[in-house]
Amino acid sequence: MDVHYNITYIILGGHVQLSKYRYFYFTITFLLFILIICSNTIVLYVIYVHESLHKPMYTFVSALLMNALFGSITIYPKLLVDLLSATQTISLPACRLQSFLIYVYAACEFTLLSAMAFDRYVSICRPLQYHSLVSPKTVKIMLVLAFCWPICKMGIGIIHSASLGLCKFVLTRIICDNYSLVKAGCGDSTVSNAYGLSVMVLSIYPHLIFIMFSYTRILIICLRSSRDFRRGALNTCLPHLVIFLNFTIIIMFEVIQNRIPSGIPHIVRLIVSLLYVVIPPLFNPLMYGFKMQEISQCLVELFKIK
């Protein structure tokens, strides 16, 4: 007996002049993907093999780099296949899964950066309490929450949007996102939009406020301390702060250009929609590899020609 499955497919219609620049796009994307995989993996390997780096601060760095790999693997393989395909389609379940994983990646980035800010705040502002406040057990709990909380809140949004059904089958995107799926839905999207907006606000602003507060306190302590103390604090805090501001600005641009109608050219929208899976995964290992002295020394030893 034949069994027929009625699977809905969505067309990703956001590609620009794909037939003309197909192989150029593919080459650039493939090289970016390989560079992201290699750079993040090398720093992760260095942290893993050197016991001197088995500290809470570097554990959070490792989690951040692993999240970058997770986000890249969620997007790049499918994107590479689409660039070489005659038609850019994806099944509805796969599209919902991709949008869920992308949102989890972005939300985890903020929770991990907040955990790192807490680690730096305690280390610099309350050094005598560091080992009690940032114990191995505390680090494990923070990491579990950093990944589980985004999964729960993003999962609720995806499940609710799935109940709307689908009336449009072409997305003007090259990757799936839940907001575009909600706009393509058949039913009333008021609740889904309100929930999505609430999740977005809660995923960004509490972390922004906490990190700004912690770094204000760190700055006050540094101004009261010696030059050597300030130099050491900046070596560990500056990469984190730069990475946080970089990611926040990119995400805010993506949210604004996606939700607010404007005359922005499609190619610009396309580039902005990919920045958060291009710049942070490439930028983070470089910042931590070159700006954090202990990691940079281990990298020099790894590539030193004997």
Side-chain angles (χ1 to χ4, degrees):
M1 182 175 67
D2 293 334
V3 180
H4 299 280
Y5 295 94
N6 184 19
I7 301 176
T8 300
Y9 284 90
I10 295 172
I11 298 174
L12 298 174
H15 295 271
V16 178
Q17 294 184 325
L18 184 57
S19 59
K20 185 176 181 180
Y21 298 107
R22 181 187 307 276
Y23 296 106
F24 173 74
Y25 290 159
F26 177 84
T27 302
I28 296 299
T29 304
F30 180 74
L31 291 176
L32 278 174
F33 185 46
I34 295 299
L35 188 57
I36 287 169
I37 295 294
C38 292
S39 59
N40 284 275
T41 302
I42 288 171
V43 178
L44 282 168
Y45 171 77
V46 165
I47 293 174
Y48 176 75
V49 298
H50 288 85
E51 291 189 8
S52 61
L53 300 179
H54 293 179
K55 301 174 183 177
M57 176 173 61
Y58 300 111
T59 300
F60 291 127
V61 170
S62 298
L64 195 70
L65 299 181
M66 290 177 66
N67 189 53
L69 289 174
F70 165 74
S72 301
I73 292 170
T74 297
I75 292 175
Y76 282 92
K78 169 60 178 168
L79 182 57
L80 289 168
V81 171
D82 284 344
L83 291 174
L84 294 181
S85 301
T87 58
Q88 292 71 48
T89 60
I90 185 172
S91 68
L92 179 57
C95 190
R96 295 197 189 282
L97 177 61
Q98 187 185 56
S99 65
F100 167 70
L101 295 177
I102 290 171
Y103 283 16
V104 168
Y105 152 73
C108 286
E109 195 84 357
F110 281 112
T111 54
L112 289 170
L113 287 168
S114 289
M116 296 172 72
F118 174 76
D119 173 77
R120 292 298 82 209
Y121 168 76
V122 176
S123 175
I124 294 172
C125 299
R126 300 185 178 182
L128 298 179
Q129 298 175 287
Y130 182 78
H131 293 292
S132 60
L133 292 176
V134 192
S135 63
K137 182 179 179 180
T138 303
V139 172
K140 291 178 183 177
I141 293 173
M142 291 173 69
L143 288 176
V144 169
L145 290 176
F147 285 101
C148 289
W149 174 236
I151 289 173
C152 292
K153 64 184 180 183
M154 296 303 168
I156 293 172
I158 297 294
I159 292 171
H160 188 273
S161 66
S163 65
L164 297 175
L166 206 65
C167 287
K168 299 177 183 177
F169 301 93
V170 178
L171 303 182
T172 57
R173 308 275 290 178
I174 63 174
I175 57 176
C176 293
D177 70 282
N178 193 54
Y179 181 68
S180 296
L181 289 172
V182 169
K183 288 197 298 184
C186 299
D188 185 4
S189 62
T190 303
V191 176
S192 288
N193 283 328
Y195 181 81
L197 185 61
S198 300
V199 168
M200 181 197 69
V201 171
L202 292 175
S203 296
I204 298 176
Y205 289 102
H207 301 290
L208 177 63
I209 292 170
F210 173 73
I211 291 176
M212 291 297 102
F213 165 78
S214 62
Y215 273 90
T216 300
R217 295 293 303 166
I218 289 172
L219 179 61
I220 293 172
I221 296 295
C222 288
L223 292 176
R224 297 173 180 173
S225 303
S226 65
R227 180 178 299 178
D228 291 338
F229 182 89
R230 287 198 298 270
R231 186 182 297 111
L234 286 176
N235 284 337
T236 58
C237 293
L238 187 59
H240 171 262
L241 186 58
V242 171
I243 286 169
F244 171 74
L245 293 174
N246 171 57
F247 190 76
T248 301
I249 293 170
I250 290 173
I251 290 295
M252 292 302 295
F253 277 156
E254 164 65 2
V255 170
I256 292 170
Q257 68 93 18
N258 197 23
R259 288 181 174 266
I260 299 177
S262 64
I264 300 175
H266 179 70
I267 185 64
V268 176
R269 288 177 174 269
L270 177 64
I271 294 171
V272 170
S273 69
L274 289 176
L275 286 180
Y276 67 97
V277 288
V278 174
I279 295 179
L282 277 175
F283 189 66
N284 294 3
L286 292 176
M287 282 296 293
Y288 288 119
F290 289 104
K291 291 297 183 180
M292 299 190 77
Q293 188 174 4
E294 291 188 57
I295 295 180
S296 63
Q297 288 176 348
C298 294
L299 285 171
V300 169
E301 291 179 7
L302 178 65
F303 291 102
K304 184 168 60 177
I305 301 175
K306 297 183 180 179

